[in-house]
Amino acid sequence: MMRNAPEENIKNCFHCGAPSGEMPISHDGKVFCCNGCKAVYEILRGKQLYRYYDFGEHPGVTPSISTNAKFAFLDEPNVNKKLIDFSEDGIVVVSLRIPQMHCSSCIWLLENLHNLHKGIFYSRVDFLKKRLLIKFVENKISFRQVVELISSIGYEPELGLKESDSSHRTKVERSFYLKIGVAAFCFGNIMLFSLPEYLSSSTIDISSRTLFGYINLLLSFPVVFFSGMIFFISAINGLRSKAINIDVPIALGIAIVFLRSAVDVLLQTGPGYFDSLSGLVFFLLIGRLFQNKTYDNLNFERKYQAYFPLAVSVRRNGNDTTIPITLIRPGERMIIRNNEIVPADSVLMTGIANIDYSFVTGESKPSVKSVGDLIYAGGKHLGSVIQLEAIKEVSESEFIQLWNEFGAIDKIKSRLLTLSTTIGKYFTFGILLIALSTAFAWWLIDPGKILDSVTAILIIACPCALALAAPFVFGTTLRLFGKKGFYLKHSSVVEALSKTDMIVFDKTGTITHTERTSIRFNGNSLSKEQRIQVASLARSSTHPLSRSIYDCLQVRDISEVTNFEEVEAAGICARVGGAKVQLGSASFVGAKSPDNNIKQTSVYAAVDGNILGRFEFENVYRDRLEEVLGNLNTSHSISLLSGDDDGEREKLKEIFPNFSEMQFNQSPSDKLSYIKSLQSKNRNVIMIGDGLNDAGALWQSDVAIAVTEDVSSFSPACDGILNAYAFNDLDRFIRFASTAKLVVYWSFVISFIYNIIGLYFAMRGELSPILAAILMPLSSISVVIFSTFVTQYLAKRKGLL
Amino acid sequence: MSVIWILVGFSVFVAVSFLFLFIWAVRNGQYDDKYTPSVRILFDDEKKNITTNQTSGNNVKGSVDYGNANDQVR
């Protein structure tokens, strides 16, 4: 089936769906927005992979423009052996992370790579993890060529050092499924063999009942010692750190049920509670599964390695070679090209560096460095080739130190489901108290019933339903948030969110759009020729401001640019079709300096000395910002920390609610100490930020949320990742966390009601196995149903569904 | 009543074989990716190309063989 309807697609690129602008490229009856997209189309058409376009409209990804040398480092054996999973007999297996894949067309194309090159004989996608597993024959195609091939069709892989935890996670996940499967198997079969007990006891003779008892005992072994082991481990870990978590009474319950039932069967005094036992473990495991939902494609503990390049070009004894960045030693001469990241703190030796620290500081304006200046690791160089001399190793570099310091400690452990832990503590003591007083009472009345009643109390009181409430409520909340673009690291973050009373915002990139600065042209309107002249000049520069100007002019007819000259920190000029065109600061083009009260960045444009006007750049705040802040202000105090100067203070004052604190010119450590000072005043702080300069503050805060335009790309260690488009719902998210906590309390009430009913029978020593087998699953199931549905219902009412 | 022994033995045998199938499936990685297969199954088998090569006798059966892809689709 072909979609041969160019008319309907006249506005949008056939490949990627982006608006094709004023000057679309027409080819083969299709419209393309750029040559990159057209090139991909050509490749796919030439190789009979046209069906790529059949699965959905505009499935494509615009390939990034890359130079030939970009992947040259992959030819270095000591670099690529770090990336390759397995290699034997000339067959290489490699797993690549491809963040761009987004639809079924992507899956189809990436799994049909063998049609593009014969050397690749196997490719398989794991969509949720955004991974592509490729097997290829080494002497037909090199690793570098494979990467270049994938990049050429728009799927440039993210090459970083191996994150070793992904295979570990797979292992843990698999063993968890096995545990659930085994528990389910035993649960089902034990119920089957317990059926005679549920029915009238006279129909089955004694010998088969004994047999069924033994079979049940046998089946319960894997339930306790394989599936249920995690509860014992967790309880012991809890006790070791002197905390009684919810798993302590659970483990106690499981142990008592098992022992009591085993004794019952062996002494033939009763059928035992095996059905309750296996059901209990099964439901608890399901709760764990639900609670431990993770977002495979997100990484909340990004190490710097994910962002840094793998290798860098160095000059040794006059020869250029590529070495992995881990081998950089002080004194190494590094060669950094346009758009490459400086991997280690170093001093500039030749050239003029134009360093974009946006990854580190969130500030998008590049800073200019000249020979002899210190350049910190993490900056991206824009411009012509420079040479640097490393003064520190990668791991010693300033920002990496900062990074590692905060990334190293796993905060989540210390506050894992605090609600359940508190409950668990009181619950355990309460149950022990009830058990003891019951024992005492029976000792007075009929000592023969002590053992029966005490074990029955410990069995029925096992807080299965209690333990399920929080996972299901918070787990459901986590999923609902995820659908809306707010991804939490763990369901316990919901609980942590509900306890906060203060929100600290970072400015750049958090409350402002990073990619959308508004550009206003202040001057006479430009003629078409002038627009072409300015756009052609702007296009020749890699400076972000020039790029923004070029994008904003929307011109595709580019004239030839000659005598291009770039004056650092001032502007650019060149001859475009005979006219001298200038772009830059007021003094650079010879304009009158503007009034001092204009704070925003502006770029002047001039042709042949005539000043056309200036482009004004302004931060664009997120759409619903004022409303979000207003809503949050009812429950939280709000403050703002900004690394920038206070140029926009007045404007921000209008947006932020009254009495919110604002601090400008804040360094990373200022931000950290600000959070600390808040916490010393017993505030529970949410920090919302983006770049590495917030890493300290994020780490210190009680809940750290990173805002990002692209969730699969880089973000610092945090508890939650907020997709920028979801920022408008931030108030709803934070408020809903408190609602979720209420639902947990209600679920607790339900579970307590069941417990009281059960305890009534248990204390009288009348808890029959069949009663336990009905009561215990019933309480679990009703808590699960209640918590899931009520959470969903409330979310719907609050506009989160 | 002794027939029940046979039935019990048989039912346990059937149940255990399914348990082992499950364990095999988990170990085999079938539970690692729970999304992509649902998309993959909807891809049609590759048909002959749209523009060239009209001979239909050469229609490759089941050529979307992801495990053992080859170049037979031309």
Side-chain angles (χ1 to χ4, degrees), chain A residues 457-489:
Chain A
I457 286 172
L458 294 176
I459 290 169
I460 199 71
C462 185
C464 178
L466 208 58
L468 288 174
F472 273 90
V473 173
F474 293 144
T476 309
T477 311
L478 174 122
R479 282 170 176 75
L480 292 171
F481 283 4
K483 275 188 199 152
K484 283 281 186 178
F486 182 32
Y487 307 95
L488 298 178
K489 182 170 161 189

Side-chain angles (χ1 to χ4, degrees), chain A residues 699-767:
Chain A
W699 177 82
Q700 180 65 38
S701 65
D702 297 277
V703 178
I705 300 173
V707 181
T708 166
E709 305 279 339
D710 173 13
V711 287
S712 60
S713 78
F714 174 80
S715 55
C718 57
D719 300 310
I721 296 177
L722 181 68
N723 202 324
Y725 72 76
F727 187 88
N728 296 340
D729 283 328
L730 186 68
D731 51 337
R732 298 204 182 108
F733 292 135
I734 292 175
R735 286 167 146 213
F736 192 73
S738 312
T739 315
K741 199 169 158 187
L742 268 183
V743 179
V744 175
Y745 285 136
W746 295 339
S747 308
F748 282 173
V749 171
I750 294 181
S751 123
F752 278 130
I753 292 172
Y754 280 108
N755 261 326
I756 289 166
I757 299 172
L759 280 174
Y760 168 76
F761 290 104
M763 285 164 75
R764 291 160 52 115
E766 288 169 357
L767 184 75

Side-chain angles (χ1 to χ4, degrees), chain A residues 83-130:
Chain A
L83 290 165
I84 285 172
D85 288 306
F86 174 80
S87 163
E88 199 176 278
D89 296 337
I91 287 170
V92 180
V93 181
V94 63
S95 159
L96 299 169
R97 213 182 107 79
I98 301 182
Q100 293 93 332
M101 60 171 86
H102 63 280
C103 65
S104 46
S105 288
C106 300
I107 299 176
W108 184 81
L109 179 60
L110 290 170
E111 295 199 338
N112 278 289
L113 287 176
H114 59 276
N115 283 344
L116 279 181
H117 197 288
K118 286 181 186 181
I120 301 173
F121 64 92
Y122 178 92
S123 56
R124 193 168 252 255
V125 169
D126 185 332
F127 188 76
L128 294 182
K129 297 197 174 82
K130 308 260 185 242

